[in-house]
Amino acid sequence: MTLNQVYNVDNINEVIEILGNFGKDAKIIAGGTDIVIALKNEKISPKVLIDITKIEDLKKIEDDGEYITLGAGVTFTNIVENHLFRGNLWGLYKACRMVGSPQIRNKGTIGGNIANGSAAADSIPPLIALGSIVRLVSIEGVREISLEGYYTDPIKENELITEIKFIKPKENQVLTFAKLGLRKALAISRLTSASLVEFDNEGFIKSIRVASGALGKYPMREYEVENYLIGKKIREETVEGAVERLQNSMDERLKGRSTLPYKRVAISGILKETLESAMTIGREVAAW
Ligand SMILES: Cc1cc2nc3c(=O)[nH]c(=O)nc-3n(C[C@H](O)[C@H](O)[C@H](O)COP(=O)(O)OP(=O)(O)OC[C@H]3O[C@@H](n4cnc5c(N)ncnc54)[C@H](O)[C@@H]3O)c2cc1C
C-alpha cells in the first residue's frame, strides 16, 4: 500500500473525522520519532497520515489546583522546561529529561509514548505511579481509562489520545524515577522504576504506588512491593525486602528469558534509587 496523502489538521474534530473515514488505513503522526522509523522499515504502510502537530488543544499543560492535565502533544522538553514538574513531581521531570537526545526530547510527545505501546517507554512508569487517566476520542465518543489498564485495553484504530491527567500529589507525597539505559545519550531504556510515596509525619509510608518499565510485556504496577512497604520506614533492610519481592515477581514474569539474570541484579539499584530519593525529598519537605 502506498502513502497517498498527508493531512495537516488544526483541530481535533478533523482528526476524528479522518480516522472515522479511513480506519486502519490512516495513521497519526505527532513528533514522528517512532512512526518515521516504522514507515521506513515498512512495518506499517498507511494510505494517509494525519499530522497533529498544529493542534493547539493538544499542547496544553493545565493545573486547576486538583488535577494536572497534559495534552497528548506535549513534548518531553515542554515537561522538562515547566516549573510544575519540580519538587514532589520531580520524578516526571527526571523521566522526560533522561529520554534519548535533545532532538528526540524536542519532538517526542507523551501521546506518542503511550500510543507506541513500548514496555520501555520512559514517561509511563511515573504517569502510572501518579494514577493517570488517558482520554481517547473517536467518532463513537469519549473513552477514559487508567493508564495502568491501557495496555490490556489499548488504543483502537479510530481513536485519538487527547490528554492524560492525574491528581496533583499532596505535599507529603513524592514522585521519584530511576532508569538504567543501554547507552547514555540515545538509550531506549531497558529498566525503569517510579514511585509515588506518601509519608506520615513520622516518616512511615502511608501509601505508595510503584511502577516499573521493561520488567514485563508492558509498564505495570508492582503490587507485591507496595503491599510490603506500607507502614514501614525506608531503611536499608526495608529496601532489601522490597527488592526481594520485586525479584520474586520478575522470576514468574520473565521465566526462561535470557535477560532475567541481568535484570534481577540491575533492578536492585534502580528500585533502591527511587525509594531512597523519595525518603531524601520527603525528609526535606517534612523534616522528620
Ligand atoms: C534515537 C531514539 C531515542 C529514543 N529514546 C527514547 C527514550 O530514551 N525513552 C523513550 O521513552 N522513548 C525513546 N524513543 C522513542 C520515542 O521518541 C518516544 O516513544 C516518543 O514519545 C514518541 O512520540 P512521537 O510524538 O514522536 O510519536 P510518533 O512517532 O509521531 O507516533 C508514534 C505512534 O503513536 C501514534 N500516536 C502519536 N500521537 C498520538 C495520539 N495523540 N493519539 C493516538 N495515536 C498517536 C502514532 O500513530 C504512532 O503509531 C527514542 C526514539 C529514538 C528514535
Side-chain angles (χ1 to χ4, degrees):
M1 199 184 294
T2 48
L3 184 63
N4 292 334
Q5 195 163 359
V6 179
Y7 288 91
N8 284 296
V9 296
D10 60 12
N11 69 79
I12 290 172
N13 288 341
E14 231 180 310
V15 183
I16 305 306
E17 204 184 307
I18 301 168
L19 284 174
N21 288 340
F22 287 93
K24 64 173 172 30
D25 291 334
K27 269 283 179 190
I28 288 164
I29 179 164
T33 59
D34 280 320
I35 199 172
V36 169
I37 295 172
L39 287 165
K40 264 193 189 157
N41 296 340
E42 296 181 357
K43 279 196 176 158
I44 53 167
S45 48
K47 273 188 192 159
V48 303
L49 282 178
I50 313 167
D51 182 344
I52 59 170
T53 48
K54 289 193 181 67
I55 305 179
E56 289 304 320
D57 281 351
L58 298 181
K59 297 182 190 172
K60 66 182 177 193
I61 297 181
E62 274 173 10
D63 172 9
D64 71 3
E66 188 185 0
Y67 282 95
I68 291 181
T69 305
L70 308 174
V74 166
T75 64
F76 299 116
T77 297
N78 293 150
I79 289 181
V80 168
E81 289 179 348
N82 194 303
H83 69 278
L84 270 177
F85 308 104
R86 300 290 189 277
N88 59 357
L89 275 172
W90 173 75
L92 188 56
Y93 160 85
K94 190 177 173 194
C96 294
R97 179 68 187 79
M98 291 183 89
V99 166
S101 61
Q103 292 89 332
I104 297 292
R105 290 196 291 277
N106 288 343
K107 290 277 181 191
T109 62
I110 296 291
N113 214 212
I114 296 172
N116 196 48
S118 163
D122 278 335
S123 70
I124 309 304
L127 287 170
I128 288 180
L130 285 163
S132 299
I133 304 290
V134 186
R135 188 178 171 91
L136 300 120
V137 182
S138 72
I139 40 167
E140 282 148 39
V142 175
R143 192 160 74 96
E144 285 198 342
I145 52 169
S146 72
L147 182 56
E148 184 192 352
Y150 170 86
Y151 292 87
T152 48
D153 186 14
I155 189 164
K156 300 185 174 66
E157 58 198 25
N158 63 352
E159 286 180 324
L160 168 75
I161 299 174
T162 55
E163 63 184 42
I164 301 96
K165 69 174 181 183
F166 53 85
I167 295 175
K168 265 181 100 164
K170 294 178 269 186
E171 273 182 8
N172 58 344
Q173 285 183 305
V174 182
L175 178 72
T176 57
F177 173 82
K179 163 175 169 174
L180 184 76
L182 287 182
R183 282 178 296 149
K184 262 194 177 166
L186 294 176
I188 304 278
S189 74
R190 282 291 169 266
L191 273 188
T192 55
S193 167
S195 302
L196 181 72
V197 189
E198 180 182 9
F199 294 101
D200 71 11
N201 51 17
E202 288 174 357
F204 288 94
I205 297 176
K206 206 171 158 189
S207 72
I208 182 164
R209 289 198 206 110
V210 178
S212 65
L215 288 189
K217 282 190 212 148
Y218 42 78
M220 60 182 75
R221 286 270 292 276
E222 298 295 352
Y223 287 99
E224 300 289 330
V225 177
E226 294 176 8
N227 293 339
Y228 168 76
L229 286 170
I230 293 270
K232 295 189 171 64
K233 277 199 173 186
I234 297 175
R235 298 193 173 102
E236 204 180 322
E237 63 272 21
T238 336
V239 173
E240 274 169 22
V243 168
E244 209 181 300
R245 263 108 195 135
L246 187 49
Q247 287 173 330
N248 290 343
S249 303
M250 290 166 66
D251 289 344
E252 286 290 306
R253 219 180 285 158
L254 302 175
K255 212 178 207 163
R257 299 268 189 92
S258 60
T259 53
L260 178 59
Y262 149 76
K263 287 190 172 180
R264 270 187 121 264
V265 177
I267 197 59
S268 159
I270 300 295
L271 185 60
K272 195 171 171 206
E273 191 181 328
T274 57
L275 295 176
E276 289 183 349
S277 52
M279 189 183 63
T280 308
I281 299 171
R283 235 185 221 150
E284 279 166 17
V285 177
W288 19 260

